[in-house]
Amino acid sequence: MKTTQRRTFMQWCRRYISVSLLVAVGLIVYILFFSDNSVSETYMYDRQIDSLNMAIRQAGDSLDYYRNLEQRLNTDPAAMEQVVRENYHMQRPDEDVFVVQ
C-alpha cells in the first residue's frame, strides 16, 4: 500500500511540478520577503511616511499660529502689549506683577 501511495505522489509531482514553476515560486518568495521591496520594508516605509506627514501637519499648524501672531502684532498694539506682559512678565511702572508657576 505504501509503495503505491509513494508512486502516485511521485507521479503527481512529476506531472504538476516543473523546474520553471519552482524558479517562479522561488523568485516570488525572494521578492516578497528578502528584496528591498519586501512586504516588511514596504510596511515600515508606509509607517515612516505617515509619521512624517503628521510632523508636516504639526509644523504647518505652528507656522499658521506664528503668522497669525505676527499679523496681530503688526496691526494691533493691544495684542503686542498682551504678548509682552504674558511672555516677558513686563509691567508698567505703577503695577505689581505676581508670577505663579
Side-chain angles (χ1 to χ4, degrees), residues 26-59:
L27 184 64
I28 290 172
V29 167
Y30 174 75
I31 289 172
L32 286 177
F33 298 108
F34 301 111
S35 71
D36 290 336
N37 297 326
S38 67
V39 174
S40 61
E41 294 277 333
T42 304
Y43 179 71
M44 181 185 69
Y45 290 146
D46 285 342
R47 295 203 30 112
Q48 187 176 9
I49 288 170
D50 291 341
S51 68
L52 290 174
N53 283 334
M54 184 180 298
I56 288 171
R57 281 194 302 273
Q58 290 174 348

Side-chain angles (χ1 to χ4, degrees), residues 72-83:
R72 283 184 24 225
L73 291 176
N74 287 334
T75 58
D76 188 14
M80 183 181 296
E81 182 179 351
Q82 177 187 0
V83 168

Side-chain angles (χ1 to χ4, degrees), residues 49-92:
I49 288 170
D50 291 341
S51 68
L52 290 174
N53 283 334
M54 184 180 298
I56 288 171
R57 281 194 302 273
Q58 290 174 348
D61 291 343
S62 297
L63 181 64
D64 291 340
Y65 170 77
Y66 286 113
R67 281 185 179 163
N68 185 18
L69 180 63
E70 180 188 17
Q71 179 66 28
R72 283 184 24 225
L73 291 176
N74 287 334
T75 58
D76 188 14
M80 183 181 296
E81 182 179 351
Q82 177 187 0
V83 168
V84 167
R85 286 174 176 269
E86 289 176 358
N87 294 340
Y88 301 109
H89 308 296
M90 292 187 156
Q91 62 187 2
R92 291 188 180 148

